[in-house]
Amino acid sequence: MRNRFLNFKKLFVFAVLFSSALVFAQENKPATWIWYPGDFEIWLSNKMQVRRTEREAVFPPLWQYYSPYALVTFQTEVDIPKPDEVKIYSEGPFQLLLDGVQVYGQPKSITVPAGKHKISFKVYNQEVLPAIYISGQYVKSNASWQVTNEDKLWIDENGKAQQSGTPWVPVGSWNFDSAENKPSEFKLTTKPLSAKKTEKIGAGQLVDFGKETFGYIKIHGLKGKGKVALYYGESREEALDSARCETLDHLSFDGKQPEIYTHNGSKAFRYVQVQADAGVKYDSISMLYEYLPLDYRGAFKSSDQELNKIWDVSAYTMHLTSREFFIDGIKRDRWVWSGDAYQSYLMNYYLFFDSASVERTLLALRGKDPVTAHVNIIMDYSLYWFVGVYDYYLHTGDTKFIKTFYPRMKSLMDFCLERRNKNGFLEPLEGDWVFIDWANGLPKTGEVSFEQMLLARSLEAMAVSAEIAGKNEDQKQYQKLASDLKTKLFDVFWDKKENVMKHQRIDGKMQDIVTRYANMFGIFFNYFDEEQKQSIKNKVLLNKDVLQITTPYMRFYELEALCAIGEQDYVLKEMKDYWGGMLKEGATSFWEEYNPNKKGKEHLEMYGRPYGKSLCHAWGSSPIYLLGKYYLGVKPTAPGYAEYEIKPNLGGQQWMEGKVPTPNGEVALYVSKSEIKVKASEGEGKLVFESAGKPKASSGTITELAKNKYQLIVKPNVEYKVSYKAI
Amino acid sequence: MRNRFLNFKKLFVFAVLFSSALVFAQENKPATWIWYPGDFEIWLSNKMQVRRTEREAVFPPLWQYYSPYALVTFQTEVDIPKPDEVKIYSEGPFQLLLDGVQVYGQPKSITVPAGKHKISFKVYNQEVLPAIYISGQYVKSNASWQVTNEDKLWIDENGKAQQSGTPWVPVGSWNFDSAENKPSEFKLTTKPLSAKKTEKIGAGQLVDFGKETFGYIKIHGLKGKGKVALYYGESREEALDSARCETLDHLSFDGKQPEIYTHNGSKAFRYVQVQADAGVKYDSISMLYEYLPLDYRGAFKSSDQELNKIWDVSAYTMHLTSREFFIDGIKRDRWVWSGDAYQSYLMNYYLFFDSASVERTLLALRGKDPVTAHVNIIMDYSLYWFVGVYDYYLHTGDTKFIKTFYPRMKSLMDFCLERRNKNGFLEPLEGDWVFIDWANGLPKTGEVSFEQMLLARSLEAMAVSAEIAGKNEDQKQYQKLASDLKTKLFDVFWDKKENVMKHQRIDGKMQDIVTRYANMFGIFFNYFDEEQKQSIKNKVLLNKDVLQITTPYMRFYELEALCAIGEQDYVLKEMKDYWGGMLKEGATSFWEEYNPNKKGKEHLEMYGRPYGKSLCHAWGSSPIYLLGKYYLGVKPTAPGYAEYEIKPNLGGQQWMEGKVPTPNGEVALYVSKSEIKVKASEGEGKLVFESAGKPKASSGTITELAKNKYQLIVKPNVEYKVSYKAI
């Protein structure tokens, strides 16, 4: 992430060009269902997040649900060469105006005459969300339409239409590209999956699907009358513990059911204990695996088999938690948490590069106005949200998201800024949860340096976004707020004697505590100079006496910080120890928390419950990100990979190869100690590497940057082979 | 309304006592369905307002729809003498916590042990609105419960629940007092009504229901296959004009329909033209009349038969438009408009005194936050809303409404205040509609004195409300804003030479226009001194050269102003001319607009459409209010009729009698030129009257206030007979 906030001006020009190209491309796309931007995401996330159950009780989130607008007006202007017979599909009754004149009834189609026309649909739907699909040869609903939630179109006493001050915004859309494929009927994809093993347990059986999975239990050859209980387990222990497992279902059959029964509630599990009444018989248990269809556009393979396994299980963990949205865990919470999602965005850029999932998740998290609490009620989670928006722009080059949702960025930032104390620092007020990490004994009250650092970074993100949104006054204001806060952060929290960042100040009294959090973030935010970084590395990051991190969540940043200062060899060992440690415990997906000091069933406990821990948690997947960004070494340096860097680092491996996805392609790489092969689809890359001897390239010109340090410019669609001698 | 903002302090004490009495009373009530306050009203108004159709096209409002919260947590604390078996009914899946511990599943009942307990239900419903009905012997859902849309209850890593900053508010409820009677299934009452007359029209027939009505057409003895067209008309002309009537239905029958068909769409009409295909036969047409069941608690009868008829038709017009909410008209717009509703509130206090309807309407109009436009996008309509809240408090004495919704009052006022120009005046910005009245040539741009006067009154209402809500700083601020604005209003708009209020200033230039609006409002707002009032009466109100008023809407205030300065004789004649004029044109309900100079079908035209005018418009019912308040002369002088005034004025009639409802009773009155009889159920009344000779009372003591002016204190449940000699 180094420097990513610096060279903005140049990139902005690029982004503007890039986005107008996008608009052009949309004109040739088929019709698609459209809605008020963000509303589908709000509706779907409301629906999805309440699917968490705890022993058959629903367990909805603790934060506010926003709602879609129940009444919206879609509008477009067309200029067509011939009359167009246009089919109309609507979720909800509509009022259609053609050139401002009401068309009576609820027509299923309309002929739009040749020439210039203004078409508008006011659609009402209070149960789901208003959406339309308009399909003619020329006139079709797509991302170029506009929408408003208050059209303010009134008729005066003489019958003349009056309208002003209507807040039009670009519509939202996704991939609902046929009339039948309605947003309100959205479902993830499913496919049948067989059990790997079954085992008799009392009068019932334990079904093992071989690895962590997600979906709907199917019962085959079902006959008879009576009850069937299903006890789910991410672990064998959990499925067997019918009294304490976290999820279960009690089914009841009257004898008239079909022979194949599919449960309508999705669950996360590897094991299912099935206990049926004597009156009920069945042949076998299978499942419908439910997933979001995504391409694994990123790849990684190396000479280290354990590392390869870590990457594979990370990718699977990531896929299981990349669903309607990037959720935290598939058993629990099945919710969208901003801090967790922030990591998923980053991993996504190195695995699926699925922009739509990032947008959906950002929108679900942000909701609407008014802002009455932090995102997920957590102070740090509001702040990650801003940085997530910036990262989205950096990786995708898409300015439309920021332009459309800048007002929501601003109102969330207003909320945050209003909660600063008299010193200009964020300090928790009533209702604010300071999370940082699950870590026993971690102090979270008063002014915590970590939160201020995230706020500074968020303000920088706001400054960039304000410029994209064309709000120059805002840009200046946010830039100044960011720079003032950074100055204050160092004035107050930087310990000049110890050369480390302190953790906390309470009522003006600096607390004698150093933690990893602000220290590691400051490294990859590039807030420290080289001397400071070295001091932090030795006194904090590599110091076992500083409060240890036990969640993959914060290990993500800890290892990123170490990678950012070139400690790839050390980090590789840490990854193998930590994630390898989970694999040795039998993990088939990565966990919410892992403490190597725990034993056996202790690993399953959390939140005071024997199976409270989530064994498939998105934040467990960070090796995807670390290996892609700091070993393959690929990262964008201009929005949308217009420019990027490749800085491979074997970190002690013999060789590695892999792919890092870019918006419209990939960077493919093979690296051994003597050879680097690279081919990219787009943008201009800088391959930077060290070599003991003078390297040779099959194409392009190698420049010497410093002693033993070389650079090769990578152009699209050219395969480069570099012979070199690794140091 | 005179002085109603003045003696607040004393009344406030009363209101506090009164409202705690209410809470006590609720404990003995049965269980009732509860929801987030205001959400049922928002949901229902969204649903209702989209029922307007124009020739089978839906015609939704032009303003923003807000939404109910899809996820809310209900909570209560109980202390019960015995274990209680409590039944649970919920609209939407719920999570139940008993003393903070989750109860598994979705239980239909739960046993709450004796003693103190905290019970909470988190309910999700995105399709309709979350609501619960909880019914035990001791534990039951009622107005004493609390609710929040963000409970912020989270579980830390040790399983400990944490909660702070939760915005609890009192729940909303109405009259859903049984488990089966769910809010989501709310429907108005219906009863069968026969046609009065039928007449052959071509191959079909014209059905006449004898007067304006509302509901669902029924077809009896229906047989055969084919189409039936229904053309509705508030007038005979409209029903006969199938090509241009405003509402119609095309029905299609396949021969398998039942013999009695009831249409599922409600319409407003007196006449229906029925045209059926030859293949379709039926015996007769009737209707299901749909209405809100309300008691006519107010009454009026006098020696003037025409006036009695005016009162009756006003009451019927008012009842037809008092539905889910107070709407403007039953054919058109079927919407909730704040300016129209404001008058309905006032009429309601003299007819139904149905507090629930006022609350529902205020809540539907206000919606939620953020405020992004004026109520109904009309500047004056935001302002009427505040005054409507104050009037509600004055008439009902209910402080709970203000306490609960004060934040929504404040955010709407913030919106209004932010839209002031540099002079501190409201001037329309983009998207603001200045309505004032339908009147050709009425200037509405720049600074209009009428809008500033309404703002001043609204600020006074806010000051009173702030005090009730316990926001003393706000109270001071609003009081100062109001008084500053009033000063400025007179400095700028009062013409000291002409002694009238000018209408408009544009870019600092006073326009040479005088209109009735600010001048008449200033009278009953008591913003003018006696000399100013007399000048306005002669130079404006009784001056035919000042732009005439042609809507009953503004006639309401014009006549009120004249009554407020004692011109009852004149106003009585005006009422007979104007409303009597409509009766002579055959009106069976009062109209949106009436211009005595128009002839025949011209009366039906409006908005450039031949039948565009609404012939049953709530604002046509003002005689109810004028006769109750200024002839029977009854009005509250302290909140909830704790104190009130009776100042009868025959206005030229021989005698009159009537009832004015109060929160828990009525003031019944008979007045002739020689006798006044009065009996009241509650509060302390001051009967004030003039008599040429010394009056005598059957009870109580008559005080002489001035020459020929007397007062008698009226205590509850005592019948007073006063002999006097009218002057």
Side-chain angles (χ1 to χ4, degrees), chain A residues 43 46 54 57 61-62 64 102 104 122 126 149-150 152 154 156-157 159 164 369-370 372 431 433 438 607, chain B residues 43 46 54 57-58 61-62 64 102 104 122 126 149-150 152 154 156-157 159 164 369-370 372 431 433 438 607:
Chain A
W43 170 78
N46 287 350
E54 216 175 282
L62 50 109
Q64 181 176 173
Q102 178 157 341
Y104 290 124
K122 177 139 61 174
Q126 193 169 205
N149 66 318
E150 39 185 355
K152 300 183 180 176
W154 56 278
D156 71 14
E157 68 260 56
S164 81
D369 289 333
T372 55
W433 175 7
W438 289 137
Y607 305 103
Chain B
W43 169 79
N46 287 350
E54 216 174 282
V58 296
L62 50 109
Q64 180 174 176
Q102 178 158 341
Y104 290 124
K122 177 141 57 176
Q126 193 170 206
N149 66 318
E150 41 185 352
K152 300 182 179 177
W154 56 278
D156 72 13
E157 67 260 57
S164 80
D369 289 333
T372 55
W433 175 7
W438 289 136
Y607 306 103

Side-chain angles (χ1 to χ4, degrees), chain A residues 33-37 69 71-76 89-91 94-97 118-124 129-134 141-142 145-149 151 168-172:
Chain A
W33 282 92
I34 55 176
W35 53 77
Y36 194 96
Y69 294 119
L71 179 65
V72 304
T73 307
F74 299 98
Q75 187 169 292
T76 192
Y89 303 88
S90 174
E91 297 232 46
F94 61 87
Q95 180 191 37
L96 163 57
L97 303 186
K118 193 184 214 175
I119 303 166
S120 85
F121 288 89
K122 177 139 61 174
V123 185
Y124 163 74
L129 79 161
I132 52 167
Y133 180 91
I134 305 301
S141 51
N142 59 32
W145 286 49
Q146 290 197 301
V147 65
T148 184
N149 66 318
D151 65 21
W168 294 106
V169 293
V171 296

Side-chain angles (χ1 to χ4, degrees), chain B residues 271-490:
Chain B
Y271 301 90
V272 191
Q273 185 198 157
V274 187
Q275 294 292 350
D277 283 357
V280 184
K281 303 287 172 208
Y282 64 89
D283 298 335
S284 66
I285 302 288
S286 77
M287 71 173 293
L288 274 184
Y289 171 63
E290 190 192 60
Y291 64 103
L292 179 69
L294 289 170
D295 294 332
Y296 284 47
R297 294 173 56 199
F300 180 85
K301 200 178 273 272
S302 81
S303 51
D304 186 322
Q305 292 311 319
E306 185 180 36
L307 204 61
N308 294 345
K309 177 82 178 158
I310 289 171
W311 193 92
D312 289 346
V313 173
S314 294
Y316 183 57
T317 303
M318 178 67 189
H319 198 182
L320 281 170
T321 55
S322 301
R323 312 188 64 78
E324 292 91 343
F325 305 92
F326 292 125
I327 59 171
D328 61 337
I330 57 173
K331 174 173 82 176
R332 210 215 76 243
D333 300 329
R334 301 177 68 164
W335 293 349
V336 189
W337 291 95
S338 183
D340 308 50
Y342 177 69
Q343 299 195 344
S344 292
Y345 308 149
L346 294 174
M347 300 170 200
N348 168 64
Y349 298 129
Y350 287 89
L351 182 60
F352 309 121
F353 208 107
D354 187 55
S355 305
S357 291
V358 180
E359 286 204 16
R360 286 197 313 280
T361 306
L362 285 168
L363 290 171
L365 283 167
R366 177 56 193 83
K368 287 186 172 175
D369 289 333
V371 180
T372 55
H374 282 298
V375 174
N376 309 124
I377 85 161
I378 301 176
M379 189 192 284
D380 11 335
Y381 280 28
S382 284
L383 305 174
Y384 287 122
W385 188 85
F386 295 104
V387 191
V389 173
Y390 175 81
D391 284 346
Y392 179 65
Y393 166 62
L394 177 68
H395 286 85
T396 64
D398 172 29
T399 57
K400 188 182 176 187
F401 183 87
I402 289 175
K403 284 179 188 159
T404 305
F405 296 104
Y406 180 76
R408 292 190 198 181
M409 299 184 71
K410 196 167 151 67
S411 53
L412 178 59
M413 183 50 84
D414 286 347
F415 175 83
C416 293
L417 293 176
E418 274 163 24
R419 289 178 98 71
R420 286 174 302 170
N421 66 15
K422 62 180 194 316
N423 306 318
F425 285 136
L426 280 179
E427 185 176 342
L429 298 178
E430 274 279 288
D432 295 351
W433 175 7
V434 173
F435 177 64
I436 309 175
D437 193 16
W438 289 136
N440 272 328
L442 176 61
K444 299 179 178 183
T445 54
E447 299 164 342
V448 173
S449 56
F450 172 72
E451 303 288 332
Q452 319 315 322
M453 194 178 270
L454 277 184
L455 177 59
R457 197 53 154 189
S458 301
L459 285 163
E460 290 172 336
M462 282 306 294
V464 172
S465 302
E467 188 153 355
I468 291 171
K471 307 287 180 188
N472 296 331
E473 279 312 303
D474 287 6
Q475 190 275 335
K476 278 180 219 155
Q477 189 212 342
Y478 288 124
Q479 199 59 63
K480 182 167 179 351
L481 281 167
S483 112
D484 291 353
L485 181 60
K486 271 160 77 175
T487 304
K488 208 154 34 182
L489 173 70
F490 279 85

